[in-house]
Amino acid sequence: SPIHVIPPEQKAKIRCYEFLNKTSRSFAAVIQELDDEIRDAVCIFYLVLRGLDTIEDDMSIPIEKKEPLLRDFHKTIYKKGWTFDENGPDEKDRQLLVEFDVVIEEFLGLRKKFQNVIADIADKMGNGMADYAKDAAYNKYGVMTNKDFDLYCHYVAGLVGIGLSSLFSTSGLEKPELAKETELSNLMGLFLQKTNIIRDYLEDLLVNRRFWPKEIWTKYVDDLADFRKPGYEKKAVDCLSTMILNALQHAPECLTYMNKIQNKSIFSFCAIPQVMAIATLALLFKNYNVYHSVVKIRKGETVKLILKCTNIYEVANIFRYYSKVIIQKNDSKDPNFMKISVACGKIEQWC
Ligand code: PS7
Ligand code: MN
Ligand code: MN
Ligand code: MN
Ligand code: MN
Ligand code: MN
């Protein structure tokens, strides 16, 4: 009967939401809870960036081919009908690129202002990813200094924060001023990305992807993989503290950003990944297992956190709770003992 006929223009949108649920480990639910004015734009923004990241992560694409793919992706999203065929990509999310024409179709149906924000971020991110992919391809260590670390994280996550703030303002759900908070938006992304890079030490190392800044780990070992060897446990846990301290320093500014959000659905969307990140940092701190397995917060803890993320007071309390967990594990033999106390103190005093 006629009610079972799905209009062709809705087919692409349905397929996009299927892809969102397939490819996103943590964002699918919070994106689908967003208000109507912004939901589709954020979903398409996610899928465009997931497409870029799938190309970045695919080590089977030779650099001569990968570099232009990344650098031109912001133009590719305007090419109606474009799909990625040619025997690749060889990644878990490859099907998204194989059927990328549906994402392009939905992208082209968004308001021009949303399109401009997404294309501008894809341009900057694709070019940043290409710079670092070239280093990796020529066996050059990419993330040398702490500054390089912040720059890489800016390309792959800080820009996402900047783009999202623009989308929020453009939708009218948040004030125009939020789009101008580029520094705080950047740090929201850095906090998530740094936590991901610390947690994914083993997963990334096994495919020869190295994101821990050389400036940090050379104080402890000659090779990043040495932390896995017997006899290096103390050095490994001390280096982990340095990495966690580096990420933790962004926490107060993340609270300051979230304090500016007025829309309820946008607030949950922003806050849930942030509280998961600080809970993850607390779990990773002093945890040598990071070097031998994937350490993840338990499902039950995640559910409790999601339910509490309703306003800034609750979220600040969650941050303070995990800051106390870190303080309790801190000890005076840790070379970062004082700096970690200070960083936790700033979280507890945030208001
Ligand atoms: C548009 C929601 C809210 C102001 C695909 C959300 C991968 C941590 O690859 O999937 O498995 O190790 O675990 C997300 C700021 C970006 C930063 C970045 C786009 C928050 C392509 C998330 C997500 C800004 C590059 C996914 C940065 O982690 O990684 C949308 C405000 C994509 C946000 C990547 C990482 C995200 C990430 P993997 P995950
Ligand atoms: Mn992941
Ligand atoms: Mn990547
Ligand atoms: Mn990835
Ligand atoms: Mn370009
Ligand atoms: Mn990762």
Side-chain angles (χ1 to χ4, degrees):
S1 74
I3 58 163
H4 294 297
V5 177
I6 298 164
E9 69 274 13
Q10 272 191 34
K11 271 192 176 161
K13 184 181 281 195
I14 290 168
R15 192 73 184 121
C16 283
Y17 278 94
E18 279 172 16
F19 274 125
L20 175 67
N21 284 299
K22 272 193 205 157
T23 60
S24 140
R25 288 129 288 264
S26 37
F27 292 110
V30 283
I31 291 175
Q32 282 164 116
E33 292 294 324
L34 284 167
D35 288 353
D36 294 350
E37 295 92 321
I38 190 89
R39 190 190 314 113
D40 292 347
V42 175
C43 175
I44 298 310
F45 189 32
Y46 177 88
L47 293 175
V48 165
L49 302 184
R50 178 52 67 199
L52 256 181
D53 186 54
T54 303
I55 295 167
E56 188 207 27
D57 291 356
D58 190 338
M59 294 305 174
S60 76
I61 306 173
I63 190 66
E64 299 74 32
K65 207 179 141 190
K66 184 185 276 194
E67 191 183 352
L69 269 172
L70 291 172
R71 294 200 193 278
D72 298 339
F73 205 69
H74 67 105
K75 294 183 220 159
T76 305
I77 55 182
Y78 287 97
K79 291 183 183 150
K80 212 168 164 42
W82 183 92
T83 58
F84 194 114
D85 31 22
E86 330 171 38
N87 353 302
D90 179 25
E91 270 285 302
K92 58 182 188 314
D93 297 327
R94 72 180 297 277
Q95 197 57 31
L96 170 67
L97 286 169
V98 169
E99 293 177 46
F100 208 72
D101 52 335
V102 299
V103 178
I104 294 172
E105 189 176 330
E106 287 308 297
F107 170 77
L108 293 172
L110 294 174
R111 288 167 51 190
K112 200 91 202 127
K113 278 201 132 190
F114 286 145
Q115 288 181 24
N116 290 343
V117 172
I118 294 171
D120 175 51
I121 298 300
D123 184 4
K124 291 169 176 152
M125 188 184 291
N127 278 291
M129 282 174 165
D131 293 346
Y132 281 84
K134 270 173 89 176
D135 287 341
Y138 298 120
N139 251 326
K140 189 170 163 279
Y141 200 95
V143 186
M144 294 294 288
T145 62
N146 287 322
K147 214 177 136 206
D148 294 334
F149 189 43
D150 281 11
L151 183 62
Y152 177 73
C153 291
H154 164 74
Y155 287 140
V156 301
L159 285 169
V160 185
I162 291 168
L164 284 169
S165 294
S166 268
L167 295 179
F168 300 157
S169 293
T170 300
S171 74
L173 294 175
E174 295 294 336
K175 298 194 195 94
E177 292 79 57
L178 189 72
K180 297 188 186 115
E181 295 287 356
T182 53
E183 205 37 55
L184 291 177
S185 305
N186 183 52
L187 294 174
M188 286 281 286
L190 260 58
F191 188 61
L192 300 185
Q193 188 64 29
K194 288 180 175 183
T195 303
N196 183 292
I197 284 174
I198 299 168
R199 192 203 57 196
D200 290 350
Y201 165 90
L202 182 61
E203 191 185 301
D204 289 336
L205 188 78
L206 294 179
V207 289
N208 205 25
R209 292 151 44 82
R210 295 157 192 254
F211 300 113
W212 288 30
K214 197 165 186 177
E215 179 184 342
I216 290 184
W217 59 257
T218 46
K219 282 186 266 168
Y220 306 94
V221 284
D222 298 324
D223 188 294
L224 185 59
D226 287 348
F227 289 131
R228 295 173 44 80
K229 295 181 183 165
Y232 288 87
E233 294 83 357
K234 166 85 169 107
K235 285 180 169 175
V237 171
D238 284 349
C239 185
L240 185 58
S241 293
T242 309
M243 291 294 292
I244 290 172
L245 170 65
N246 179 295
L248 208 56
Q249 281 162 341
H250 303 313
E253 282 160 303
C254 292
L255 288 170
T256 301
Y257 176 90
M258 290 185 278
N259 196 26
K260 296 179 189 293
I261 301 297
Q262 44 183 39
N263 176 276
K264 249 173 93 72
S265 76
I266 293 178
F267 184 83
S268 302
F269 168 80
C270 293
I272 290 170
Q274 298 289 321
V275 301
M276 307 266 276
I278 198 161
T280 301
L281 290 176
L283 182 64
L284 298 177
F285 188 53
K286 301 287 178 190
N287 190 340
Y288 182 67
N289 294 335
V290 172
Y291 295 96
H292 291 279
S293 61
V294 182
V295 180
K296 276 189 180 143
I297 43 179
R298 294 167 61 194
K299 183 80 190 155
E301 193 172 1
T302 305
V303 171
K304 270 193 220 158
L305 287 174
I306 290 172
L307 291 174
K308 278 194 203 158
C309 277
T310 52
N311 62 66
I312 188 66
Y313 306 103
E314 294 291 344
V315 169
N317 277 334
I318 295 170
F319 270 55
R320 283 188 274 266
Y321 170 80
Y322 287 108
S323 159
K324 288 198 183 84
V325 172
I326 291 169
I327 285 285
Q328 273 159 23
K329 290 204 251 177
N330 202 8
D331 78 280
S332 53
K333 288 192 203 80
D334 190 318
N336 290 299
F337 178 73
M338 274 309 292
K339 285 180 178 167
I340 288 165
S341 310
V342 171
C344 288
K346 284 182 183 159
I347 295 170
E348 277 162 47
Q349 256 140 58
W350 179 88
C351 62

